[in-house]
Amino acid sequence: MKNFIFISPNFPTNYWMFCRELKNNGMNVLGIGDQPYDELSQDLKNSLNEYYKVSSLGNYDEVYRAVAFFIFKHGRIDWLESNNEYWLERDARLRTDFHITSGFQTSDIPRIKFKSKMKEFYIKAGIPVARHHIVDDIEGCRAFIKEVGYPVVTKPDNGVGASHTYKLKNDEDLQNFFATKWDDTIYIMEEFIDAEVNSYDAIIDSNGEPMFETGNVTPNSIMDIVNNNDNSIYYIVKDLPDDTRTAGRATVKSFGVKSRFVHFEFFRLLKDHEGLGKKGQVIALEVNMRPCGGFTPDMINFAHSTNVYKIWADMIAFDRSTMPVGEHAFCAFAGLRDGKNFVMSHDDIMKKYGSHMKMVDRIPDVLSGAMGNQMYVATFQTKEEMDTFYTEVLQCKE
């Protein structure tokens, strides 16, 4: 029996399903988390063979001892994974320290976590990248801005989500950024790209070949959602565009991805951009070596009548899957922000769109910054139906 350590199996709350499918495939599933065992959901308890509680997952020594205990009790660890952006570096360090060779090691982290390092691998894949500058002093930034023009976007070079990401439109914004930026953080500055985000989401086998592929579209910027307290919308595509598939597969090869669930982000240009491409072209944004966040795995299941938790667990256990993929649809996420005066009430939405709904729930506070407060996940056969849904549920009173 192979031993699999799952870091933080209790968060996000849907990740117990990865554990369930691993256990169903005969894996010995060992969880390490900071939530007391008695507070774990019954579904998660049933999906784990054993659980080790630490006071903080941020305390490396504690987590190290937990892994050492599992090795002492169960023998060699075959896999260690969290599927969580926040713990990617921690996962890699643990694999390196315990000689677990089935995933990224510490030496792999720069190219998969630092946005500036990703660019050379995108270029190697033949995919255009935005011009960038590692933030030094204000004069160095002004020289870069003189080259590319305002606006520019600044964000931590090694960051999670849209935290501390800003769009600077003028010199006053630049001065405010320097007055408020974190002193101990390296920032990257990039030329602004007028585009929507298109993703390539895939489960990759041990040979670097895709076992399952899909993608999503985010019409509005996560940066704007967080900074402007906007509603959040994105959707799983009914059929993955050929150019996104081609770019995604080239990125897999360039980064040397094997045995992972990945979420690669690309810009699809909304207008011609000198030096990058024509309107509609796909260019690089960033790679995420884990599933797309929040409830996206569930949305992928709804859009493609399948079970990506099982496909991923099949990849881990057997390096192949016979899980069928069924009828395709668009799967829309609408994250409505509290405090807005919407035209449609919750009851109105459910009365009109209840037959389309797959998930309706409050969003955990820790995720609400990027995802809104009240979520509706619904499927539609046509983009026109989905666009009407978005227009109606997001409309506010004058």
Side-chain angles (χ1 to χ4, degrees):
M1 180 182 291
K2 291 185 176 181
N3 295 316
F4 190 110
I5 292 180
F6 205 109
I7 305 290
S8 187
N10 57 302
F11 188 85
T13 54
N14 48 333
Y15 274 23
W16 69 270
M17 287 184 273
F18 285 120
C19 298
R20 176 189 64 193
E21 300 302 338
L22 288 171
K23 191 174 182 183
N24 286 344
N25 282 346
M27 306 285 283
N28 189 33
V29 187
L30 310 168
I32 300 175
D34 55 11
Q35 187 174 16
Y37 181 79
D38 289 345
E39 295 178 12
L40 300 180
S41 71
Q42 191 59 49
D43 286 326
L44 178 54
K45 290 178 181 178
N46 294 341
S47 302
L48 297 173
N49 295 91
E50 191 168 349
Y51 180 74
Y52 190 113
K53 182 195 174 297
V54 294
S55 62
S56 169
L57 285 170
N59 184 325
Y60 186 76
D61 288 342
E62 269 197 283
V63 181
Y64 182 97
R65 286 196 295 272
V67 175
F69 170 80
F70 279 146
I71 291 174
F72 173 77
K73 184 171 180 180
H74 298 278
R76 183 172 66 89
I77 302 301
D78 299 282
W79 296 84
L80 183 147
E81 186 59 73
S82 67
N83 277 344
N84 193 319
E85 183 77 22
Y86 195 79
W87 301 117
L88 279 182
E89 290 180 70
R90 172 62 45 82
D91 295 347
R93 184 178 173 189
L94 288 166
R95 290 191 205 100
T96 300
D97 286 351
F98 287 101
H99 307 290
I100 303 166
T101 59
S102 54
F104 287 120
Q105 306 292 300
T106 297
S107 59
D108 296 312
I109 288 299
R111 79 176 190 276
I112 66 172
K113 283 288 288 176
F114 288 85
K115 296 172 177 65
S116 58
K117 302 288 186 185
M118 295 175 188
K119 290 179 181 289
E120 63 186 89
F121 290 90
Y122 270 124
I123 293 169
K124 182 177 155 188
I127 302 168
V129 300
R131 289 171 289 180
H132 77 286
H133 171 74
I134 298 297
V135 172
D136 42 15
D137 54 31
I138 197 165
E139 291 309 318
C141 290
R142 283 191 175 121
F144 174 71
I145 293 166
K146 186 176 180 181
E147 177 187 345
V148 303
Y150 280 113
V152 293
V153 174
T154 61
K155 50 193 172 184
D157 193 25
N158 179 10
V160 178
S163 177
H164 229 242
T165 298
Y166 301 107
K167 182 179 178 181
L168 311 182
K169 301 176 183 177
N170 50 48
D171 210 53
E172 182 182 353
D173 287 350
L174 178 65
Q175 291 172 357
N176 287 339
F177 165 70
F178 269 90
T180 59
K181 73 181 184 69
W182 296 325
D183 291 336
D184 60 348
T185 299
I186 297 172
Y187 287 83
I188 183 173
M189 178 177 285
E190 295 180 310
E191 61 182 317
F192 177 74
I193 308 297
D194 191 2
E196 67 177 15
V197 176
N198 285 215
S199 78
Y200 173 80
D201 297 83
I203 297 170
I204 308 299
D205 70 14
S206 66
N207 297 311
E209 298 298 328
M211 293 171 54
F212 174 85
E213 298 169 298
T214 186
N216 67 53
V217 173
T218 306
N220 51 357
S221 164
I222 296 294
M223 172 182 66
D224 292 337
I225 292 166
V226 172
N227 292 337
N228 302 334
N229 210 32
D230 287 344
N231 302 310
S232 173
I233 65 171
Y234 73 100
Y235 60 90
I236 307 299
V237 296
K238 186 173 182 178
D239 296 296
L240 185 65
D242 288 341
D243 56 357
T244 307
R245 186 190 311 276
T246 298
R249 290 182 177 185
T251 304
V252 166
K253 298 300 183 187
S254 181
F255 280 82
V257 179
K258 294 179 180 179
S259 303
R260 292 201 72 79
F261 201 145
V262 298
H263 171 64
F264 297 160
E265 295 177 337
F266 300 93
F267 282 130
R268 186 175 296 279
L269 299 178
L270 294 176
K271 63 180 183 182
D272 294 353
H273 197 296
E274 186 177 353
L276 283 178
K278 298 290 187 181
K279 178 181 178 180
Q281 185 174 337
V282 167
I283 70 166
L285 177 50
E286 64 182 58
V287 296
N288 298 280
M289 299 296 180
R290 42 77 183 171
C292 186
F295 301 97
T296 306
D298 304 283
M299 291 173 59
I300 293 172
N301 289 346
F302 300 141
H304 299 293
S305 309
T306 192
N307 182 349
V308 292
Y309 299 104
K310 176 168 173 52
I311 296 173
W312 174 83
D314 288 350
M315 176 271 291
I316 295 293
F318 314 121
D319 206 28
R320 57 182 173 78
S321 180
T322 57
M323 182 68 208
V325 175
E327 182 183 355
H328 289 204
F330 292 96
C331 187
F333 174 94
L336 276 57
R337 189 72 64 185
D338 288 350
K340 293 186 180 290
N341 194 13
F342 294 105
V343 170
M344 293 185 76
S345 68
H346 170 76
D347 288 344
D348 293 335
I349 293 171
M350 294 308 297
K351 184 176 180 180
K352 182 163 186 179
Y353 290 106
S355 63
H356 295 266
M357 288 296 170
K358 299 297 183 182
M359 299 177 74
V360 178
D361 209 344
R362 296 292 293 176
I363 296 171
D365 289 344
V366 71
L367 299 176
S368 64
M371 297 181 68
N373 303 105
Q374 173 68 36
M375 74 166 182
Y376 298 93
V377 172
T379 55
F380 300 92
Q381 282 303 308
T382 68
K383 189 171 184 299
E384 290 72 23
E385 290 177 290
M386 180 176 67
D387 289 343
T388 300
F389 164 75
Y390 277 136
T391 299
E392 293 189 348
V393 303
L394 299 175
Q395 184 179 2
C396 289
K397 298 175 182 175
E398 295 291 339

